[in-house]
DNA sequence: GTGATTGCAAATCTTTTGCACTAAA
DNA sequence: TTTAGTGCAAAAGATTTGCAATCAC
């Protein structure tokens, strides 16, 4: 089940999260949510924005994607120490990562199932 | 099944990988493989080394852990964009990560099982 | 000896932050 | 107005690299 939110829904979402509808956020939201699900890096989105004549700073893209993630609109996918992706599909799912070409591929639907997993470690449950 | 390699076995392993037995590598190997399985960061191991009167540079710890990983003696565990752990248990297994206290916990034995997973994406299988 | 390894400092890369200015509500 | 958001440049962290000195073999 894909939970991609179309552009309009994303805007609602941001308003509900108390984020102002600035020019930059609107533009980035459109880039992210106008089409199908995407996996973007901060850098790639920044370049894409500028290519689309959106005047926005790299720092703002960082801030924005972090805020969107905090609001639950995006999902952060940490690949390695020097590359984080943001996934417009915020539902719980897994990925393949192509190390050679450095891109993510969704593992669709129920194709990956965790049959059994342990409880959180006891030290966490008993402390505090 | 734990595949911790005792110190002596680790030394063999390094020799087989063509890595010279330098003072720094020997010391780091002992710290890593003298006891039970460990999850260490570069920084933590560097501090530990210095606390044990091992004269070694941070850069060398970086290089060494990367070489050990390449040799298959360690496993790299990427937690987030600013923290990589190295696991002395190089076998295939999973972890819990405590975000609050920032440490890894092994998921022992067969407690986590992936019931079903998809084939690698077709574009990878057909290309090249 | 000879080439691998190390130390050191500088460089790189990603991400965050401080602050004055701008814009949304 | 009032406060949040942005740009810019600087800072912060993690990691890598260049190069001369050192060490393993």
């Amino acid at each position: 089940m894909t939970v991609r939110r179309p552009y309009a829904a994303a805007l609602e979402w941001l308003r509900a999260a108390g984020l102002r509808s600035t020019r930059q956020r609107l533009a980035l939201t459109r880039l992210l949510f106008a089409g199908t699900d995407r996996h973007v890096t901060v850098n790639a989105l920044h370049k894409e924005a500028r290519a689309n004549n959106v005047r926005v700073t790299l720092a703002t893209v960082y801030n924005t994607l972090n805020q969107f993630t905090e609001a639950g609109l995006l999902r952060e996918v940490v690949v390695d120490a020097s590359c984080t992706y943001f996934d417009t599909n915020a539902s719980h799912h897994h990925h393949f990562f192509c190390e050679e070409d450095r891109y993510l591929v969704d593992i669709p639907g129920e194709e990956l199932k965790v049959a059994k997993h342990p409880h959180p470690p006891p030290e966490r449950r008993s402390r505090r």
Side-chain angles (χ1 to χ4, degrees), chain A:
Chain A
M1 167 199 59
T2 296
V3 279
R4 176 176 64 77
R5 309 174 194 294
Y7 180 54
L11 291 185
E12 270 311 310
W13 191 279
L14 293 181
R15 179 156 325 160
L19 296 173
R20 291 186 179 176
S21 304
T22 66
R23 176 175 58 74
Q24 291 85 341
R25 291 211 265 244
L26 292 175
L28 294 178
T29 302
R30 180 154 41 229
L31 289 176
L32 289 169
F33 293 100
T36 59
D37 286 331
R38 309 192 54 184
H39 305 117
V40 300
T41 63
V42 170
N43 245 301
L45 186 61
H46 181 230
K47 280 182 191 159
E48 185 179 335
R50 301 184 69 95
N52 283 68
N53 297 306
V54 177
R55 279 181 37 255
V56 64
T57 312
L58 188 61
T60 296
V61 178
Y62 270 104
N63 291 334
T64 301
L65 292 189
N66 285 335
Q67 292 154 349
F68 284 16
T69 300
E70 201 160 341
L73 199 59
L74 295 176
R75 194 79 148 200
E76 207 173 344
V77 183
V78 177
V79 164
D80 66 32
S82 63
C83 196
T84 300
Y85 285 82
F86 290 87
D87 190 345
T88 57
N89 177 353
S91 74
H92 179 77
H93 65 288
H94 298 262
H95 297 95
F96 276 116
F97 178 65
C98 176
E99 298 191 325
E100 190 180 335
D101 299 330
R102 304 193 65 75
Y103 65 85
L104 287 171
V105 182
D106 282 320
I107 295 183
E110 298 301 313
E111 284 191 29
L112 191 152
K113 261 200 170 356
V114 175
K116 187 185 170 189
H117 64 80
H119 290 292
E123 57 262 43
R124 290 311 304 156
R125 278 177 285 148
S126 58
R127 284 171 53 189
R128 202 148 296 170

